[in-house]
Each structure stands twice: as C-alpha cells, then as structure tokens.
Amino acid sequence: MKYQSLAEFIIDSVGGNKNIKSVNHCATRLRFELKNNSIVNKKVLHDHADIIMVVESGSQLQIVIGNTVSEVFQAIEASGATEEMFTDRVEDKGDKVKESLFSRFINVVSGIFTPFLGVLAASGIMKGLLALAVVCGIISESSGAYKIFSAAGDALFYFFPLVLGYTAGKRFGGSPFLSMVIGGALMHPSMIAAFEAQLQSGGTSDTFFGIPVTYINYAGSVIPVIFASWLSSLVEKNCNKILPSAVKNLFTPFIALAVVVPFSFLLIGPIATWLSQSMANAFLAAYEFAPAVAGIIMGALWQVCVMFGLHWGLVPVMLNNVTVLGHDIMQPLLVPAVVGQLGAALGVFLKTKDSKLKALSGSAVSAAIFGITEPAVYGVNLPNRKPFIFGCIAGAVGGMIVGSFHGSIYSFGLTSFFTLAQMIPPTGMDMTVWGGIIGTLVSLTLSTVLTLFFGLPKAEQVMIDKNDNSEIIIQSPLTGKVINIVEVNDPTFSSGLLGQGVGIIPTSGKVVAPFNGVISSLFSSKHAINMVSDDGVELLIHVGINTVRLNGEGFIAHVKSGDSVKAGELLLEFDIDFIQKAGYLLDTPVLINNSDSYNAIRLTEEDKVTCNAFLMSANK
C-alpha cells in the first residue's frame, strides 16, 4: 500500500496518465518522458518525504527515489502507466515537445541501457572479484569453479546483441522480440564459424546474391545491433501501415527479418564496426595526449553529468572501448569521482548531530560503495552544497592520479570500489592498478576530511546561531555520556520515528526537569516521563531500554501527571546498579516528539553532560 500510494501521488503530480508517454527506471530514479513538462508540480514532488530529488534533463523528468525505486515502478506499472501502454502515444504529434538532437540521443541511450543496469553491475563485480581471486591464488583459471563463475560474469557481455536487441526494440517502438532475433542472427554460431574461417583464409569468398560478405564477430558488440533495431522498427511501422490487418502479424516480422538481417551483415555491421573502432582510437589518442588532464576533467565533472543524465552518452563509448580495444581507459578515471561523493557523505555522517541526516548519510554511504551515488548526491551532498563541491574537487585530484598511471579496466560494470578489481590485467597486478588504488584512496580521504572540517551543512550552521531569539533551550535532565540517537539500542528510538534528540548513558541516578513546563504523563512503571515546556516543546525522557518490564522496581517518582515543574527540579530517581544487574541497558533517549514543528534542532557537541547543562534546542 505504501508504494501504491506513492505511485498514485507521482502519477497525479506529473499530470496524470494522459500526460505520460513512457516511464522506466534505473538503480535509483524513475525516468518519465512526458507530453507536457510544464504541468508537472515539481514543488509538491520535491517536498514529498519519500522523494529525494526531482531533476529535469532535456525532455526527461527524473524522480530520484533511492533503493526502493523498483517497488515504486512496479506500483506505477500496476496502475497502467507503463512504457508498453503508452508506446503508441510516443508518436502523437499533437502534444510533442520539441527536443534537441542531443537530448533525444541521451534519452534513447538511457532507455536502452537502464533496464539491465542491475545485471550489468553484478556482472562487473563478478568479473572483478574473479580476477582478484586469480591474482591472490584463491582460484585457478583451469578449475571448474573459475569456468563456471567466468561464464556467469561473461554471459551478459557475450550475448549483448540479444539483450540490447530486446531493450533497443522496446525503446524504438518496435517488437523487442523481433529485434532480439536480429541480434541473435548477428552472433549465430554459423556466423561466428564463418568469421573464424575468414580469418584463417585471409579473406572472404562468400557472397550474398553476388555481393561480397565481410564477416565480423559481433559477440559483445554494442553499436551494430542498436542501429539494426532502429531500422527494424522503421520497417515494422511502415509495414503495419501498408499491410492488411489480416496478414500483417505474420508478414511484418518476415519482411523485417528478410530486410534487416542481410542489411545488417552487408552494411550496418561493417559501418558500425568501423565507427566503433574510430571512436575507440580517437578517444585513445586524446587520452594519450594528456591523461592527467583527462583525469581531472572526468573526475571533477562526472557527477555533474550524472545529475543531468548526460553520462549516458559516454556509457556506449566505454562499452565500445572494451569490445574494440579489449580494455577501457575512461572508466578508471570515474572511480575517484564516485568515491569522492562517497567520502563527502561519510564526512557528513561523521560530523552531523542531526539524527535524520546521520541516518540518511549512513545509508547513502553504503549505497555509494556499490556505485549508486544518487542518494549521496541528491539526499546529502548537493542540498548542503559544500560536501558536493568537495566531492568533485577530490574526484579531480584522484582522477589526475589515476590518469597519470594510465589505469584501464578489462571488463565492464557500474563504477564503484569493485572497479579496482576490474583494473587487474590478465598478466597480474602492475603499477596501473596501484595507481588506481592510490587515486581512489586520495579521493576518499580528501573529500571526507574536507567535509568533516569545512563542510558543515548549511542547516546546521543556522542551528548553531546562538543569537537567534526564537531558540528554545533544553537543559540536560541527566548526568552522563552523550551518544547519537542512532546508537541507542532500540529501533523505535534510533530510527527517529518518535522525534529528534540524543541518547544519554547516565552515570548518576537522577532525572531533573530540563525546562519550565508540565508533566503531561508519567508511566505507571515510572521509567518514562512526557513533558511539555511553556514554549510548547513536547519532550520524552525514557530511562533505559525495555525497563518497563521492571514494573517500577528501582525507580522513585517525585512528580505525578499534571504537575507544573521548574527547570532543575528533581523528577525521578533510579538505581543504576539494580537496572544493570537485572540485565537492562541504561541507554536513555531524550527526544523532542514534535521536532517536525521546528525548523532546526541543535544538539550539544559535548561528549559528556551534567544535569542542567545545555543539551539541545529547538528553533522556529
């Protein structure tokens, strides 16, 4: 129900089903192509608690959800707002928004590659770890285990024409199964055998009705099948317009196969292969001219490109480099860029006292380890500005180091820490790998340190302004060690569901009033008190974890519900030794239950507090 409700909210906010031409998703984002972007209520979308960010790139509206994006997409799919449902509407001329050629290219590429990003990432990790296992002597290349794992890691790339045929067919509005069959024809065993025979003979003697045929190994190729799928979709659409409905379901696929497959072998394949080799050689020449400069540029700007979806224009280039050259020199430059944002989010996690921001940055760090940086960028770094900038700076420095060492990858996957394993050449560890490791660690360290010391989020800078007259001070009700609320050993409190605040591990068995106010409730077990200050702050003081089971033993109450109290007045006494011997933790959450009513909550920066010392404040 949660995802269905969010899906309905998103559909309504983008203008309803009638405004949607297509929708798909990647690792963290929903990607909409809409008829009219001007009617989208971006503010409402951005303000929703389950939406991290809303980005418009060209004609594409991207809604960043995070790790639950697939569940939200399934809910949207269940509502009928899927790409399949709106395939026919893509050609609707009446509502079409004019797009630049570049925007259309980016949208096409992202639509082709995003459906199998998860498998792409898994295959890259598998290949990288397998290479690392061989270098470390854990596994032998002649072993059955190596062959099986290698097949699992290689399968996607070997059968790329099949996979890309399916996704490209869908993206171009044709039959995905027809374009998948065309991809299968490109890598049919008889065609691979003809290619090998051509290599041995030094030329070709085969012809297609008198036209010489040059065979090429299309296994792992990218560009030929995309062009072939595009041509197939054109043939399909025109045949469907011309042929009678009684026969078009049979003869349209037949005509497409009869036209596109020979055309692919005779023209599309050779031209696309030449284009692939030219692109790879051109990038290689540019890179060799100034690898360190290339590293600085890629390391600094990659995450900016990701923000606007422009990185999709480079994905085919990197894949093409692996196919044509056997390695790619662009992706290693991106590892410091990814790790730079990871380090910035880590710096925020270590620095912030805000429980919600700490929880968000912690989860963002874990996702970024696997190459998914959107939660870190949109949820943590970009909203606080400086951490994002520091991440880009660190990415540039790390990219310069990696470029200077001429790092390469030998299998493709999502850019992450695991890419370092993919940099291990078949000959074993060398200086290019160590350069990648050094550049990555420098980027991680630099972004973390810069953020830790200079990247305090803007919201927290506002919170520590002690001259603000609207700040409501809350004194410490206990003496003891201060811990972050996420460290409290109870998910009900540590999750922040009951409000923001801190945890205190008491060293003295007294609880005093943290402000002037009223005791709104005192639990019969005497282990917890709810208070309301004269300024309206609703506070919970909960002594220990699960201490309700003591039924009041070890506790002495000096107040009752409804009592008015002054700051510093004794409220409770409790026996620390008795509680500990009974097997209960002393973690004591002190939470502002109505923290959502305040613009900012400022927490103490001290590790220890005494009764009546400053603990936190609420700022309107």
Side-chain angles (χ1 to χ4, degrees):
M1 282 299 295
K2 173 186 176 182
Y3 299 122
Q4 188 61 44
S5 174
L6 178 58
E8 292 171 359
F9 170 82
I10 291 173
I11 292 171
D12 183 62
S13 299
V14 300
N17 282 343
K18 293 182 179 179
N19 194 41
I20 302 173
K21 290 197 293 185
S22 70
V23 56
N24 54 41
H25 75 92
C26 58
T28 57
R29 313 183 198 192
L30 294 170
R31 297 172 178 270
F32 286 90
E33 286 189 51
L34 306 173
K35 290 183 177 181
N36 185 355
N37 283 26
S38 64
I39 66 174
V40 177
N41 195 334
K42 296 176 187 173
K43 185 179 186 305
V44 170
L45 284 168
H46 188 274
D47 290 343
H48 195 283
D50 294 321
I51 295 175
I52 298 174
M53 182 64 72
V54 179
V55 181
E56 192 167 4
S57 177
S59 64
Q60 194 177 77
L61 182 75
Q62 302 173 12
I63 301 176
V64 184
I65 302 294
N67 295 331
T68 59
V69 67
S70 60
E71 287 85 352
V72 178
F73 176 77
Q74 288 172 10
I76 291 175
E77 191 176 36
S79 74
T82 62
E83 187 171 3
E84 289 82 357
M85 176 179 176
F86 290 96
T87 295
D88 294 335
R89 299 186 189 179
V90 176
E91 299 301 319
D92 186 354
K93 307 294 183 184
D95 303 302
K96 200 160 188 175
V97 179
K98 189 174 182 181
E99 302 178 52
S100 69
L101 184 62
F102 183 69
S103 294
R104 290 169 64 186
F105 168 73
I106 295 297
N107 289 341
V108 166
V109 173
S110 65
I112 291 172
F113 285 95
T114 52
F116 57 88
L117 271 184
V119 181
L120 184 66
S123 298
I125 292 172
M126 174 90 57
K127 291 290 290 180
L129 293 180
L130 199 57
L132 187 61
V134 170
V135 170
C136 296
I138 299 173
I139 196 170
S140 167
E141 291 185 7
S142 60
S143 68
Y146 177 87
K147 293 173 183 176
I148 291 173
F149 283 130
S150 181
D154 275 337
L156 173 64
F157 304 104
Y158 185 84
F159 293 103
F160 242 163
L162 283 173
V163 178
L164 289 174
Y166 181 83
T167 58
K170 286 185 66 175
R171 186 61 188 80
F172 292 126
S175 166
F177 295 104
L178 179 58
S179 51
M180 186 170 67
V181 169
I182 294 170
L186 291 176
M187 53 178 299
H188 192 275
S190 63
M191 298 295 99
I192 300 296
F195 166 73
E196 293 173 350
Q198 176 181 285
L199 286 180
Q200 292 176 0
S201 64
T204 179
S205 57
D206 288 353
T207 63
F208 180 81
F209 295 110
I211 304 173
V213 179
T214 300
Y215 294 110
I216 298 169
N217 187 354
Y218 293 106
S221 63
V222 177
I223 298 177
V225 70
I226 293 177
F227 277 104
S229 300
W230 171 74
L231 179 60
S232 175
S233 70
L234 290 182
V235 173
E236 278 189 87
K237 290 171 185 175
N238 284 287
C239 286
N240 286 333
K241 289 178 182 178
I242 298 170
L243 294 175
S245 58
V247 298
K248 69 180 181 180
N249 288 340
L250 175 62
F251 282 95
T252 292
F254 169 75
I255 294 171
L257 285 175
V259 171
V260 178
V261 171
F263 200 74
S264 297
F265 280 106
L266 296 172
L267 194 61
I268 293 179
I271 291 177
T273 301
W274 171 82
L275 178 62
S276 299
Q277 292 172 339
S278 299
M279 289 169 55
N281 292 331
F283 180 79
L284 182 61
Y287 173 88
E288 290 294 341
F289 178 73
V293 175
I296 292 172
I297 295 172
M298 296 298 293
L301 300 182
W302 176 249
Q303 288 298 334
V304 178
C305 292
V306 171
M307 286 169 50
F308 294 100
L310 303 179
H311 63 302
W312 286 111
L314 297 176
V315 170
V317 177
M318 292 185 282
L319 281 165
N320 180 68
N321 287 344
V322 174
T323 302
V324 175
L325 303 174
H327 65 277
D328 173 55
I329 48 185
M330 182 185 296
Q331 192 175 20
L333 305 178
L334 309 179
V335 179
V338 170
V339 173
Q341 296 302 322
L342 187 161
L346 178 61
V348 172
F349 174 79
L350 296 173
K351 180 67 175 178
T352 185
K353 298 290 186 179
D354 183 286
S355 59
K356 288 185 178 179
L357 183 57
K358 185 173 283 287
L360 179 60
S361 56
S363 63
V365 168
S366 62
I369 291 173
F370 295 94
I372 301 172
T373 56
E374 281 91 340
V377 171
Y378 293 122
V380 180
N381 300 342
L382 196 60
N384 297 301
R385 298 187 182 182
K386 285 184 179 180
F388 179 75
I389 295 171
F390 292 151
C392 292
I393 293 172
V397 175
M400 177 185 67
I401 295 172
V402 175
S404 300
F405 280 83
H406 298 270
S408 296
I409 54 119
Y410 298 88
S411 59
F412 191 80
L414 289 187
T415 307
S416 68
F417 265 119
F418 293 98
T419 305
L420 295 174
Q422 294 169 249
M423 291 175 63
I424 301 173
T427 54
M429 294 281 286
D430 59 18
M431 286 306 298
T432 64
V433 183
W434 289 112
I437 294 173
I438 294 169
T440 300
L441 293 179
V442 166
S443 178
L444 176 64
T445 304
L446 183 61
S447 59
T448 302
V449 171
L450 286 175
T451 304
L452 191 58
F453 288 100
F454 307 106
L456 187 67
K458 185 178 179 182
E460 290 198 5
Q461 290 175 352
V462 172
M463 284 190 273
I464 62 175
D465 181 5
K466 297 183 179 179
N467 295 321
D468 193 332
N469 294 326
S470 62
E471 189 177 49
I472 302 169
I473 302 297
I474 299 166
Q475 298 174 359
S476 177
L478 300 109
T479 296
K481 177 185 177 182
V482 179
I483 60 173
N484 193 283
I485 194 62
V486 298
E487 299 175 41
V488 171
N489 287 282
D490 188 317
T492 303
F493 303 115
S494 62
S495 65
L497 291 174
L498 298 182
Q500 297 184 49
V502 300
I504 298 176
I505 301 176
T507 55
S508 174
K510 291 184 178 181
V511 179
V512 301
F515 44 58
N516 297 337
V518 176
I519 306 298
S520 56
S521 66
L522 172 66
F523 284 63
S524 58
S525 54
K526 306 173 187 176
H527 74 290
I529 292 179
N530 285 105
M531 299 183 62
V532 179
S533 75
D534 292 344
D535 301 299
V537 174
E538 298 173 10
L539 195 76
L540 168 66
I541 307 168
H542 189 288
V543 180
I545 303 299
N546 295 323
T547 45
V548 64
R549 298 173 183 172
L550 292 173
N551 295 317
E553 288 189 72
F555 291 88
I556 300 173
H558 295 277
V559 292
K560 61 182 183 299
S561 297
D563 284 355
S564 295
V565 295
K566 297 293 183 182
E569 185 176 333
L570 182 63
L571 306 178
L572 280 180
E573 289 184 280
F574 55 94
D575 189 330
I576 292 179
D577 290 337
F578 176 82
I579 294 172
Q580 288 179 324
K581 288 178 181 178
Y584 296 98
L585 296 173
L586 287 170
D587 299 22
T588 300
V590 182
L591 304 175
I592 300 176
N593 294 141
N594 61 337
S595 54
D596 289 343
S597 302
Y598 299 93
N599 293 327
I601 305 297
R602 178 166 68 96
L603 307 177
T604 181
E605 297 181 1
E606 302 296 328
D607 295 329
K608 296 179 181 179
V609 290
T610 57
C611 289
N612 303 319
F614 172 81
L615 183 67
M616 55 186 170
S617 65
N619 194 313
K620 288 189 176 182

